[in-house]
Amino acid sequence: MQAGRFKQWALGLAAMALSTGALAQSADPQRWQLNMGRGVTATSQNAYEAHMFVLWVCVVIGVIVFGAMAVAMFRFRKSKGAVAAQFSHNTTAEVIWTIVPIVILVVMAVPATSKLIAMYDVRDSEMTVKVTGYQWMWAYEYLGEDVAFTSRMDRDSDRLRQNRATTRAELDAHPAYLLEVDNELVLPVDTKVRFVVTADDVIHSWWVPALGWKQDAIPGLVNEAWTEIREPGVYRGQCAELCGKDHAFMPIVVRAVPRDEFDAWLAARKADSAPQEPSVIDEEGSGTAPRGVDPDMIEDAAEGEEPALQTGIAPAAATPAA
């Protein structure tokens, strides 16, 4: 009976280890994921490596400690005639269990500190994106490019979440339910992008797990972060700071594309947001443009004449004098 239970536990642990290794390669979090993902940036990779290093240190320490406890409890149990030692302390043992943990902490702290410093080094960034949190949406501005827009949950997700008659089939047909937006944040790959993050009303937190960091968005304060995405793709995140009733409905979608594709997208956005050129009117006037613009109509008005009527447009009723 006990052998069967041990076998079941062994199979369960093996399955967990296999799933951990497989899911460690994924960018966005997956359901039932048991380990950190590697992400798609240098920052996320550094975080993953630091996590795995500390994990294995803890595993080794756990094996040694619990192994020693198991040996002491079973090999030196009273039923086998073991007699406990009577000493109260041992200087050598105390020195060892003081120095060894210090060495382990130093070994872990040195690489972690260097990676943490690099995480906040925004120098040599090639572009800057301003992120502003609102209740309950995000605003993005490509500084120096005259491109800005808001990003909020897409209409389909909003409709499905508010409809009590929504079926499981409808949710399954919408794989990015609650994680889709109307306007994605488009970024180029292999480009160091600096973020300046703030908020307009309450504290938010901009978080995309695949990028390997999250940054609080605080009203009246500007925080900095940076990323350099290595792989094209779509990466999703959410607000990670409780910010009100619709906190759960502030998704983030980052689309990473090659640089030439990003440049084309940025040029198109600039063209869409550029102010329209005013229409050119002949010096003589056409008699159909607004009265304050068309020279011909300005002259007619000055002489007290009514402007010529456009086809299909009836004259306005005269206003009686007071």
Side-chain angles (χ1 to χ4, degrees), residues 121-186:
D121 185 3
V122 299
R123 294 175 297 177
D124 301 323
S125 300
E126 299 180 46
M127 59 181 291
T128 300
V129 175
K130 180 182 178 183
V131 180
T132 306
Y134 296 90
Q135 289 179 310
W136 289 270
M137 62 181 178
W138 300 98
Y140 301 117
E141 180 181 355
Y142 294 77
L143 298 185
E145 300 292 348
D146 294 327
V147 172
F149 53 87
T150 59
S151 178
R152 68 184 74 200
M153 181 183 292
D154 72 317
R155 296 285 186 179
D156 287 340
S157 290
D158 204 35
R159 175 182 57 81
L160 291 173
R161 79 176 181 88
Q162 296 189 66
N163 185 2
R164 294 188 176 183
T166 298
T167 64
R168 171 55 59 180
E170 290 179 294
L171 295 180
D172 292 340
H174 198 73
Y177 174 60
L178 300 182
L179 291 174
E180 191 60 86
V181 297
D182 54 359
N183 290 309
E184 300 171 335
L185 176 64
V186 181

Short mmCIF file of all heavy atoms in Angstrom, two decimals, residues 121-186:
data_model
loop_
_atom_site.label_atom_id
_atom_site.label_comp_id
_atom_site.label_asym_id
_atom_site.label_seq_id
_atom_site.Cartn_x
_atom_site.Cartn_y
_atom_site.Cartn_z
N ASP A 121 18.70 50.88 -15.93
CA ASP A 121 19.60 51.70 -16.74
C ASP A 121 18.92 52.01 -18.07
O ASP A 121 18.90 51.18 -18.99
CB ASP A 121 20.91 50.95 -16.98
CG ASP A 121 21.93 51.80 -17.72
OD1 ASP A 121 21.63 52.99 -18.00
OD2 ASP A 121 23.03 51.30 -18.01
N VAL A 122 18.33 53.19 -18.17
CA VAL A 122 17.58 53.57 -19.38
C VAL A 122 18.43 54.34 -20.37
O VAL A 122 17.91 54.86 -21.37
CB VAL A 122 16.34 54.40 -19.00
CG1 VAL A 122 15.40 53.61 -18.13
CG2 VAL A 122 16.75 55.70 -18.30
N ARG A 123 19.73 54.41 -20.15
CA ARG A 123 20.60 55.14 -21.07
C ARG A 123 20.64 54.43 -22.43
O ARG A 123 20.40 53.25 -22.54
CB ARG A 123 22.02 55.23 -20.49
CG ARG A 123 22.12 56.09 -19.23
CD ARG A 123 23.51 56.03 -18.65
NE ARG A 123 23.85 54.65 -18.23
CZ ARG A 123 25.03 54.31 -17.74
NH1 ARG A 123 25.99 55.22 -17.61
NH2 ARG A 123 25.27 53.05 -17.38
N ASP A 124 20.96 55.24 -23.45
CA ASP A 124 21.10 54.74 -24.83
C ASP A 124 19.79 54.18 -25.39
O ASP A 124 19.79 53.33 -26.29
CB ASP A 124 22.18 53.65 -24.90
CG ASP A 124 23.54 54.16 -24.44
OD1 ASP A 124 23.86 55.34 -24.72
OD2 ASP A 124 24.27 53.40 -23.77
N SER A 125 18.66 54.66 -24.88
CA SER A 125 17.37 54.25 -25.45
C SER A 125 17.16 54.92 -26.80
O SER A 125 17.53 56.08 -27.00
CB SER A 125 16.24 54.62 -24.50
OG SER A 125 16.39 53.98 -23.25
N GLU A 126 16.56 54.19 -27.72
CA GLU A 126 16.35 54.70 -29.07
C GLU A 126 15.01 55.40 -29.23
O GLU A 126 14.81 56.15 -30.20
CB GLU A 126 16.46 53.56 -30.08
CG GLU A 126 17.82 52.88 -30.08
CD GLU A 126 17.90 51.75 -31.08
OE1 GLU A 126 17.47 51.95 -32.23
OE2 GLU A 126 18.38 50.67 -30.71
N MET A 127 14.08 55.16 -28.34
CA MET A 127 12.78 55.81 -28.40
C MET A 127 12.15 55.79 -27.02
O MET A 127 12.56 55.01 -26.15
CB MET A 127 11.85 55.14 -29.42
CG MET A 127 11.59 53.68 -29.14
SD MET A 127 10.51 52.89 -30.36
CE MET A 127 8.95 53.69 -30.01
N THR A 128 11.17 56.68 -26.82
CA THR A 128 10.51 56.79 -25.51
C THR A 128 9.00 56.74 -25.68
O THR A 128 8.45 57.42 -26.56
CB THR A 128 10.90 58.10 -24.81
OG1 THR A 128 12.32 58.12 -24.62
CG2 THR A 128 10.22 58.22 -23.46
N VAL A 129 8.36 55.94 -24.86
CA VAL A 129 6.90 55.83 -24.87
C VAL A 129 6.39 56.27 -23.50
O VAL A 129 6.86 55.77 -22.47
CB VAL A 129 6.44 54.40 -25.17
CG1 VAL A 129 4.92 54.29 -25.05
CG2 VAL A 129 6.90 53.96 -26.54
N LYS A 130 5.46 57.19 -23.50
CA LYS A 130 4.84 57.62 -22.26
C LYS A 130 3.57 56.81 -22.04
O LYS A 130 2.72 56.71 -22.92
CB LYS A 130 4.49 59.11 -22.31
CG LYS A 130 3.84 59.64 -21.04
CD LYS A 130 3.49 61.11 -21.16
CE LYS A 130 2.78 61.61 -19.90
NZ LYS A 130 2.37 63.04 -20.03
N VAL A 131 3.45 56.24 -20.84
CA VAL A 131 2.29 55.43 -20.47
C VAL A 131 1.57 56.14 -19.34
O VAL A 131 2.16 56.44 -18.30
CB VAL A 131 2.71 54.02 -20.02
CG1 VAL A 131 1.49 53.20 -19.65
CG2 VAL A 131 3.51 53.32 -21.11
N THR A 132 0.28 56.42 -19.54
CA THR A 132 -0.53 57.07 -18.51
C THR A 132 -1.73 56.20 -18.18
O THR A 132 -2.46 55.77 -19.08
CB THR A 132 -1.02 58.45 -19.00
OG1 THR A 132 0.10 59.23 -19.42
CG2 THR A 132 -1.75 59.18 -17.88
N GLY A 133 -1.91 55.92 -16.90
CA GLY A 133 -3.03 55.11 -16.47
C GLY A 133 -4.23 55.96 -16.10
O GLY A 133 -4.09 57.00 -15.45
N TYR A 134 -5.39 55.53 -16.54
CA TYR A 134 -6.67 56.17 -16.21
C TYR A 134 -7.61 55.08 -15.70
O TYR A 134 -7.41 53.90 -15.95
CB TYR A 134 -7.29 56.84 -17.44
CG TYR A 134 -6.52 57.98 -18.02
CD1 TYR A 134 -5.56 57.76 -19.02
CD2 TYR A 134 -6.75 59.29 -17.62
CE1 TYR A 134 -4.85 58.81 -19.57
CE2 TYR A 134 -6.05 60.35 -18.17
CZ TYR A 134 -5.10 60.11 -19.14
OH TYR A 134 -4.39 61.16 -19.69
N GLN A 135 -8.67 55.50 -15.02
CA GLN A 135 -9.75 54.57 -14.70
C GLN A 135 -10.70 54.51 -15.90
O GLN A 135 -11.44 55.48 -16.15
CB GLN A 135 -10.51 55.05 -13.46
CG GLN A 135 -9.69 54.92 -12.16
CD GLN A 135 -10.47 55.41 -10.97
OE1 GLN A 135 -11.02 56.52 -10.99
NE2 GLN A 135 -10.51 54.63 -9.91
N TRP A 136 -10.74 53.46 -16.69
CA TRP A 136 -9.96 52.25 -16.60
C TRP A 136 -9.46 51.94 -18.00
O TRP A 136 -10.02 51.13 -18.73
CB TRP A 136 -10.81 51.12 -16.04
CG TRP A 136 -11.11 51.34 -14.58
CD1 TRP A 136 -10.35 50.89 -13.54
CD2 TRP A 136 -12.21 52.03 -13.98
NE1 TRP A 136 -10.89 51.27 -12.33
CE2 TRP A 136 -12.05 51.98 -12.59
CE3 TRP A 136 -13.31 52.73 -14.51
CZ2 TRP A 136 -12.92 52.56 -11.70
CZ3 TRP A 136 -14.19 53.32 -13.63
CH2 TRP A 136 -13.98 53.23 -12.24
N MET A 137 -8.38 52.61 -18.36
CA MET A 137 -7.77 52.45 -19.68
C MET A 137 -6.34 52.99 -19.60
O MET A 137 -5.92 53.54 -18.59
CB MET A 137 -8.58 53.20 -20.74
CG MET A 137 -8.63 54.69 -20.52
SD MET A 137 -9.60 55.54 -21.78
CE MET A 137 -9.50 57.24 -21.21
N TRP A 138 -5.61 52.81 -20.70
CA TRP A 138 -4.24 53.29 -20.80
C TRP A 138 -4.13 54.28 -21.94
O TRP A 138 -4.84 54.17 -22.95
CB TRP A 138 -3.27 52.13 -21.05
CG TRP A 138 -3.28 51.09 -19.98
CD1 TRP A 138 -3.96 49.91 -19.99
CD2 TRP A 138 -2.60 51.16 -18.72
NE1 TRP A 138 -3.73 49.22 -18.82
CE2 TRP A 138 -2.90 49.96 -18.02
CE3 TRP A 138 -1.75 52.09 -18.12
CZ2 TRP A 138 -2.39 49.69 -16.76
CZ3 TRP A 138 -1.25 51.81 -16.86
CH2 TRP A 138 -1.56 50.63 -16.19
N ALA A 139 -3.25 55.25 -21.78
CA ALA A 139 -2.94 56.19 -22.86
C ALA A 139 -1.47 56.06 -23.19
O ALA A 139 -0.62 56.01 -22.30
CB ALA A 139 -3.27 57.62 -22.44
N TYR A 140 -1.17 55.99 -24.48
CA TYR A 140 0.21 55.85 -24.95
C TYR A 140 0.58 57.03 -25.83
O TYR A 140 -0.22 57.47 -26.66
CB TYR A 140 0.38 54.55 -25.74
CG TYR A 140 0.04 53.31 -24.96
CD1 TYR A 140 -1.02 52.49 -25.35
CD2 TYR A 140 0.77 52.94 -23.84
CE1 TYR A 140 -1.34 51.34 -24.63
CE2 TYR A 140 0.47 51.80 -23.12
CZ TYR A 140 -0.59 51.00 -23.52
OH TYR A 140 -0.90 49.88 -22.81
N GLU A 141 1.79 57.51 -25.64
CA GLU A 141 2.30 58.62 -26.46
C GLU A 141 3.73 58.32 -26.85
O GLU A 141 4.58 58.08 -25.98
CB GLU A 141 2.22 59.94 -25.69
CG GLU A 141 2.73 61.13 -26.50
CD GLU A 141 2.68 62.43 -25.72
OE1 GLU A 141 2.16 62.41 -24.57
OE2 GLU A 141 3.16 63.46 -26.24
N TYR A 142 3.98 58.32 -28.15
CA TYR A 142 5.34 58.13 -28.66
C TYR A 142 6.00 59.51 -28.67
O TYR A 142 5.74 60.32 -29.57
CB TYR A 142 5.32 57.52 -30.05
CG TYR A 142 4.76 56.11 -30.10
CD1 TYR A 142 3.39 55.88 -30.01
CD2 TYR A 142 5.60 55.02 -30.22
CE1 TYR A 142 2.88 54.60 -30.04
CE2 TYR A 142 5.10 53.73 -30.28
CZ TYR A 142 3.73 53.53 -30.18
OH TYR A 142 3.22 52.25 -30.21
N LEU A 143 6.80 59.78 -27.67
CA LEU A 143 7.36 61.12 -27.50
C LEU A 143 8.24 61.49 -28.67
O LEU A 143 9.09 60.71 -29.11
CB LEU A 143 8.15 61.19 -26.19
CG LEU A 143 7.35 60.94 -24.90
CD1 LEU A 143 8.22 61.15 -23.68
CD2 LEU A 143 6.12 61.83 -24.83
N GLY A 144 8.01 62.71 -29.17
CA GLY A 144 8.78 63.21 -30.30
C GLY A 144 8.26 62.77 -31.65
O GLY A 144 8.81 63.15 -32.68
N GLU A 145 7.19 61.95 -31.67
CA GLU A 145 6.66 61.44 -32.94
C GLU A 145 5.26 61.95 -33.24
O GLU A 145 4.71 61.63 -34.30
CB GLU A 145 6.64 59.90 -32.91
CG GLU A 145 8.00 59.25 -32.69
CD GLU A 145 8.94 59.45 -33.87
OE1 GLU A 145 8.47 59.90 -34.94
OE2 GLU A 145 10.14 59.16 -33.74
N ASP A 146 4.66 62.72 -32.33
CA ASP A 146 3.30 63.24 -32.52
C ASP A 146 2.28 62.13 -32.75
O ASP A 146 1.35 62.28 -33.56
CB ASP A 146 3.26 64.25 -33.69
CG ASP A 146 4.06 65.50 -33.40
OD1 ASP A 146 4.13 65.90 -32.23
OD2 ASP A 146 4.66 66.05 -34.35
N VAL A 147 2.45 61.01 -32.05
CA VAL A 147 1.51 59.90 -32.13
C VAL A 147 1.06 59.56 -30.72
O VAL A 147 1.90 59.30 -29.84
CB VAL A 147 2.14 58.66 -32.80
CG1 VAL A 147 1.19 57.46 -32.71
CG2 VAL A 147 2.47 58.96 -34.26
N ALA A 148 -0.23 59.60 -30.48
CA ALA A 148 -0.78 59.29 -29.16
C ALA A 148 -2.18 58.69 -29.34
O ALA A 148 -2.91 59.07 -30.27
CB ALA A 148 -0.84 60.53 -28.28
N PHE A 149 -2.53 57.77 -28.45
CA PHE A 149 -3.86 57.16 -28.51
C PHE A 149 -4.16 56.49 -27.17
O PHE A 149 -3.27 56.31 -26.34
CB PHE A 149 -3.95 56.13 -29.65
CG PHE A 149 -2.88 55.08 -29.62
CD1 PHE A 149 -3.02 53.92 -28.88
CD2 PHE A 149 -1.70 55.25 -30.35
CE1 PHE A 149 -2.04 52.95 -28.84
CE2 PHE A 149 -0.71 54.28 -30.32
CZ PHE A 149 -0.87 53.14 -29.57
N THR A 150 -5.41 56.14 -26.98
CA THR A 150 -5.83 55.43 -25.78
C THR A 150 -6.06 53.96 -26.14
O THR A 150 -6.28 53.61 -27.29
CB THR A 150 -7.12 56.01 -25.19
OG1 THR A 150 -8.17 55.95 -26.18
CG2 THR A 150 -6.91 57.44 -24.74
N SER A 151 -5.99 53.12 -25.12
CA SER A 151 -6.16 51.68 -25.31
C SER A 151 -7.02 51.15 -24.16
O SER A 151 -6.67 51.32 -22.99
CB SER A 151 -4.80 50.98 -25.32
OG SER A 151 -4.94 49.59 -25.45
N ARG A 152 -8.13 50.53 -24.52
CA ARG A 152 -9.03 49.98 -23.52
C ARG A 152 -9.54 48.62 -23.98
O ARG A 152 -9.30 48.21 -25.11
CB ARG A 152 -10.19 50.93 -23.25
CG ARG A 152 -11.15 51.08 -24.43
CD ARG A 152 -12.20 52.11 -24.14
NE ARG A 152 -11.66 53.46 -24.21
CZ ARG A 152 -12.24 54.52 -23.65
NH1 ARG A 152 -13.35 54.38 -22.96
NH2 ARG A 152 -11.70 55.71 -23.79
N MET A 153 -10.24 47.93 -23.09
CA MET A 153 -10.76 46.61 -23.43
C MET A 153 -11.63 46.67 -24.67
O MET A 153 -12.42 47.60 -24.85
CB MET A 153 -11.54 46.04 -22.25
CG MET A 153 -12.09 44.65 -22.52
SD MET A 153 -13.09 44.05 -21.14
CE MET A 153 -11.83 43.86 -19.90
N ASP A 154 -11.49 45.66 -25.53
CA ASP A 154 -12.26 45.66 -26.77
C ASP A 154 -13.74 45.46 -26.50
O ASP A 154 -14.14 44.98 -25.44
CB ASP A 154 -11.73 44.59 -27.72
CG ASP A 154 -12.08 43.19 -27.24
OD1 ASP A 154 -11.95 42.93 -26.03
OD2 ASP A 154 -12.50 42.35 -28.06
N ARG A 155 -14.53 45.83 -27.47
CA ARG A 155 -15.99 45.81 -27.31
C ARG A 155 -16.54 44.40 -27.07
O ARG A 155 -17.48 44.21 -26.29
CB ARG A 155 -16.65 46.41 -28.56
CG ARG A 155 -16.34 47.87 -28.79
CD ARG A 155 -17.10 48.76 -27.84
NE ARG A 155 -16.93 50.17 -28.13
CZ ARG A 155 -17.50 51.14 -27.45
NH1 ARG A 155 -18.29 50.84 -26.43
NH2 ARG A 155 -17.29 52.41 -27.77
N ASP A 156 -15.96 43.41 -27.76
CA ASP A 156 -16.48 42.04 -27.61
C ASP A 156 -16.31 41.54 -26.18
O ASP A 156 -17.25 40.97 -25.60
CB ASP A 156 -15.75 41.11 -28.58
CG ASP A 156 -16.19 41.33 -30.02
OD1 ASP A 156 -17.28 41.90 -30.21
OD2 ASP A 156 -15.46 40.92 -30.94
N SER A 157 -15.13 41.73 -25.61
CA SER A 157 -14.92 41.30 -24.22
C SER A 157 -15.84 42.04 -23.27
O SER A 157 -16.41 41.45 -22.34
CB SER A 157 -13.46 41.53 -23.81
OG SER A 157 -12.59 40.64 -24.48
N ASP A 158 -16.01 43.34 -23.50
CA ASP A 158 -16.87 44.14 -22.63
C ASP A 158 -18.31 43.67 -22.73
O ASP A 158 -19.03 43.60 -21.73
CB ASP A 158 -16.74 45.61 -23.01
CG ASP A 158 -17.10 46.53 -21.86
OD1 ASP A 158 -16.81 46.18 -20.70
OD2 ASP A 158 -17.67 47.60 -22.12
N ARG A 159 -18.74 43.34 -23.95
CA ARG A 159 -20.12 42.86 -24.12
C ARG A 159 -20.31 41.51 -23.45
O ARG A 159 -21.31 41.29 -22.76
CB ARG A 159 -20.42 42.76 -25.62
CG ARG A 159 -21.78 42.15 -25.94
CD ARG A 159 -21.98 42.03 -27.43
NE ARG A 159 -20.93 41.25 -28.07
CZ ARG A 159 -20.90 39.91 -28.08
NH1 ARG A 159 -21.86 39.22 -27.49
NH2 ARG A 159 -19.93 39.28 -28.71
N LEU A 160 -19.35 40.61 -23.63
CA LEU A 160 -19.49 39.28 -23.05
C LEU A 160 -19.49 39.30 -21.53
O LEU A 160 -20.24 38.57 -20.88
CB LEU A 160 -18.35 38.38 -23.56
CG LEU A 160 -18.40 38.00 -25.04
CD1 LEU A 160 -17.12 37.27 -25.43
CD2 LEU A 160 -19.62 37.14 -25.35
N ARG A 161 -18.66 40.16 -20.95
CA ARG A 161 -18.57 40.16 -19.49
C ARG A 161 -19.80 40.77 -18.83
O ARG A 161 -20.10 40.46 -17.68
CB ARG A 161 -17.32 40.92 -19.04
CG ARG A 161 -17.43 42.44 -19.06
CD ARG A 161 -16.19 43.11 -18.52
NE ARG A 161 -16.29 44.56 -18.52
CZ ARG A 161 -16.79 45.28 -17.53
NH1 ARG A 161 -17.24 44.68 -16.44
NH2 ARG A 161 -16.83 46.59 -17.60
N GLN A 162 -20.52 41.62 -19.54
CA GLN A 162 -21.68 42.27 -18.96
C GLN A 162 -23.00 41.57 -19.30
O GLN A 162 -24.04 41.96 -18.78
CB GLN A 162 -21.74 43.73 -19.44
CG GLN A 162 -20.57 44.55 -18.97
CD GLN A 162 -20.74 46.03 -19.26
OE1 GLN A 162 -21.62 46.68 -18.72
NE2 GLN A 162 -19.90 46.56 -20.13
N ASN A 163 -22.93 40.54 -20.16
CA ASN A 163 -24.14 39.83 -20.56
C ASN A 163 -24.27 38.55 -19.74
O ASN A 163 -23.46 37.63 -19.83
CB ASN A 163 -24.05 39.48 -22.05
CG ASN A 163 -25.33 38.84 -22.55
OD1 ASN A 163 -26.31 38.68 -21.81
ND2 ASN A 163 -25.33 38.45 -23.82
N ARG A 164 -25.28 38.50 -18.89
CA ARG A 164 -25.46 37.33 -18.03
C ARG A 164 -25.83 36.09 -18.83
O ARG A 164 -25.70 34.97 -18.32
CB ARG A 164 -26.55 37.62 -17.01
CG ARG A 164 -26.18 38.70 -16.00
CD ARG A 164 -27.21 38.79 -14.89
NE ARG A 164 -26.80 39.76 -13.88
CZ ARG A 164 -27.49 40.00 -12.77
NH1 ARG A 164 -28.63 39.34 -12.54
NH2 ARG A 164 -27.08 40.90 -11.90
N ALA A 165 -26.27 36.27 -20.05
CA ALA A 165 -26.65 35.11 -20.87
C ALA A 165 -25.47 34.57 -21.68
O ALA A 165 -25.65 33.66 -22.49
CB ALA A 165 -27.79 35.51 -21.82
N THR A 166 -24.30 35.10 -21.48
CA THR A 166 -23.12 34.63 -22.23
C THR A 166 -22.88 33.16 -21.94
O THR A 166 -22.90 32.72 -20.78
CB THR A 166 -21.88 35.44 -21.84
OG1 THR A 166 -22.09 36.82 -22.19
CG2 THR A 166 -20.65 34.93 -22.58
N THR A 167 -22.63 32.38 -22.98
CA THR A 167 -22.42 30.94 -22.85
C THR A 167 -20.93 30.62 -22.87
O THR A 167 -20.11 31.42 -23.30
CB THR A 167 -23.12 30.19 -23.98
OG1 THR A 167 -22.52 30.56 -25.23
CG2 THR A 167 -24.61 30.53 -24.01
N ARG A 168 -20.61 29.42 -22.40
CA ARG A 168 -19.22 28.95 -22.44
C ARG A 168 -18.71 28.88 -23.87
O ARG A 168 -17.53 29.17 -24.13
CB ARG A 168 -19.13 27.59 -21.76
CG ARG A 168 -17.79 26.89 -21.90
CD ARG A 168 -16.64 27.74 -21.42
NE ARG A 168 -16.78 28.13 -20.03
CZ ARG A 168 -15.90 28.89 -19.39
NH1 ARG A 168 -14.86 29.38 -20.02
NH2 ARG A 168 -16.09 29.19 -18.11
N ALA A 169 -19.57 28.52 -24.82
CA ALA A 169 -19.16 28.45 -26.22
C ALA A 169 -18.73 29.82 -26.73
O ALA A 169 -17.76 29.94 -27.48
CB ALA A 169 -20.29 27.88 -27.07
N GLU A 170 -19.45 30.87 -26.32
CA GLU A 170 -19.07 32.22 -26.74
C GLU A 170 -17.72 32.63 -26.16
O GLU A 170 -16.91 33.26 -26.84
CB GLU A 170 -20.16 33.21 -26.31
CG GLU A 170 -21.46 33.09 -27.08
CD GLU A 170 -22.50 34.08 -26.58
OE1 GLU A 170 -22.94 33.96 -25.42
OE2 GLU A 170 -22.87 35.00 -27.35
N LEU A 171 -17.48 32.26 -24.91
CA LEU A 171 -16.20 32.59 -24.29
C LEU A 171 -15.06 31.82 -24.95
O LEU A 171 -13.97 32.37 -25.18
CB LEU A 171 -16.25 32.28 -22.79
CG LEU A 171 -17.23 33.11 -21.97
CD1 LEU A 171 -17.17 32.69 -20.51
CD2 LEU A 171 -16.92 34.60 -22.10
N ASP A 172 -15.30 30.54 -25.26
CA ASP A 172 -14.26 29.74 -25.92
C ASP A 172 -13.95 30.26 -27.31
O ASP A 172 -12.83 30.11 -27.80
CB ASP A 172 -14.71 28.28 -26.00
CG ASP A 172 -14.78 27.62 -24.62
OD1 ASP A 172 -14.14 28.16 -23.69
OD2 ASP A 172 -15.47 26.60 -24.49
N ALA A 173 -14.94 30.88 -27.96
CA ALA A 173 -14.72 31.43 -29.29
C ALA A 173 -13.94 32.74 -29.25
O ALA A 173 -13.56 33.28 -30.28
CB ALA A 173 -16.06 31.64 -29.99
N HIS A 174 -13.73 33.26 -28.06
CA HIS A 174 -13.00 34.51 -27.88
C HIS A 174 -11.78 34.21 -27.00
O HIS A 174 -11.79 34.47 -25.80
CB HIS A 174 -13.90 35.55 -27.22
CG HIS A 174 -13.42 36.96 -27.35
ND1 HIS A 174 -13.49 37.67 -28.53
CD2 HIS A 174 -12.85 37.80 -26.45
CE1 HIS A 174 -13.00 38.87 -28.34
NE2 HIS A 174 -12.59 38.97 -27.09
N PRO A 175 -10.71 33.64 -27.57
CA PRO A 175 -9.59 33.15 -26.74
C PRO A 175 -8.90 34.22 -25.91
O PRO A 175 -8.34 33.91 -24.87
CB PRO A 175 -8.64 32.54 -27.78
CG PRO A 175 -9.02 33.17 -29.08
CD PRO A 175 -10.48 33.41 -28.99
N ALA A 176 -8.94 35.45 -26.37
CA ALA A 176 -8.30 36.53 -25.62
C ALA A 176 -9.32 37.30 -24.78
O ALA A 176 -9.18 38.51 -24.57
CB ALA A 176 -7.57 37.47 -26.56
N TYR A 177 -10.34 36.59 -24.30
CA TYR A 177 -11.38 37.22 -23.49
C TYR A 177 -10.78 37.97 -22.31
O TYR A 177 -9.96 37.42 -21.57
CB TYR A 177 -12.35 36.13 -23.01
CG TYR A 177 -13.40 36.60 -22.05
CD1 TYR A 177 -14.31 37.58 -22.42
CD2 TYR A 177 -13.50 36.06 -20.76
CE1 TYR A 177 -15.29 38.01 -21.54
CE2 TYR A 177 -14.47 36.48 -19.88
CZ TYR A 177 -15.37 37.46 -20.27
OH TYR A 177 -16.33 37.89 -19.39
N LEU A 178 -11.17 39.23 -22.17
CA LEU A 178 -10.70 40.15 -21.13
C LEU A 178 -9.24 40.57 -21.30
O LEU A 178 -8.72 41.35 -20.49
CB LEU A 178 -10.90 39.57 -19.73
CG LEU A 178 -12.33 39.22 -19.31
CD1 LEU A 178 -12.35 38.72 -17.88
CD2 LEU A 178 -13.26 40.41 -19.48
N LEU A 179 -8.58 40.07 -22.34
CA LEU A 179 -7.18 40.42 -22.56
C LEU A 179 -6.96 40.99 -23.96
O LEU A 179 -5.83 40.97 -24.46
CB LEU A 179 -6.29 39.18 -22.36
CG LEU A 179 -6.17 38.67 -20.93
CD1 LEU A 179 -5.38 37.37 -20.90
CD2 LEU A 179 -5.51 39.71 -20.03
N GLU A 180 -8.01 41.50 -24.58
CA GLU A 180 -7.90 42.11 -25.90
C GLU A 180 -8.23 43.59 -25.79
O GLU A 180 -9.02 43.99 -24.92
CB GLU A 180 -8.86 41.43 -26.87
CG GLU A 180 -8.64 41.82 -28.33
CD GLU A 180 -7.25 41.47 -28.83
OE1 GLU A 180 -7.04 40.33 -29.25
OE2 GLU A 180 -6.38 42.37 -28.75
N VAL A 181 -7.63 44.41 -26.63
CA VAL A 181 -7.84 45.86 -26.57
C VAL A 181 -8.20 46.38 -27.95
O VAL A 181 -8.05 45.70 -28.96
CB VAL A 181 -6.57 46.57 -26.06
CG1 VAL A 181 -6.24 46.16 -24.65
CG2 VAL A 181 -5.38 46.32 -26.99
N ASP A 182 -8.68 47.63 -27.96
CA ASP A 182 -9.03 48.24 -29.24
C ASP A 182 -7.80 48.80 -29.96
O ASP A 182 -7.75 48.82 -31.19
CB ASP A 182 -10.09 49.33 -29.05
CG ASP A 182 -9.67 50.37 -28.01
OD1 ASP A 182 -8.57 50.24 -27.42
OD2 ASP A 182 -10.46 51.31 -27.76
N ASN A 183 -6.80 49.26 -29.21
CA ASN A 183 -5.57 49.79 -29.82
C ASN A 183 -4.36 49.18 -29.13
O ASN A 183 -4.13 49.39 -27.94
CB ASN A 183 -5.53 51.32 -29.68
CG ASN A 183 -6.54 52.02 -30.55
OD1 ASN A 183 -6.63 51.76 -31.74
ND2 ASN A 183 -7.34 52.89 -29.96
N GLU A 184 -3.58 48.42 -29.88
CA GLU A 184 -2.39 47.77 -29.33
C GLU A 184 -1.22 48.74 -29.28
O GLU A 184 -1.13 49.66 -30.09
CB GLU A 184 -2.00 46.56 -30.17
CG GLU A 184 -3.08 45.50 -30.26
CD GLU A 184 -2.76 44.42 -31.28
OE1 GLU A 184 -1.98 44.71 -32.22
OE2 GLU A 184 -3.28 43.30 -31.14
N LEU A 185 -0.34 48.52 -28.32
CA LEU A 185 0.92 49.26 -28.26
C LEU A 185 1.90 48.54 -29.17
O LEU A 185 2.30 47.40 -28.89
CB LEU A 185 1.45 49.33 -26.84
CG LEU A 185 2.81 50.00 -26.66
CD1 LEU A 185 2.74 51.49 -27.05
CD2 LEU A 185 3.32 49.86 -25.23
N VAL A 186 2.31 49.17 -30.25
CA VAL A 186 3.20 48.56 -31.23
C VAL A 186 4.63 49.02 -30.96
O VAL A 186 4.89 50.23 -30.84
CB VAL A 186 2.78 48.92 -32.67
CG1 VAL A 186 3.70 48.25 -33.69
CG2 VAL A 186 1.33 48.51 -32.92
#
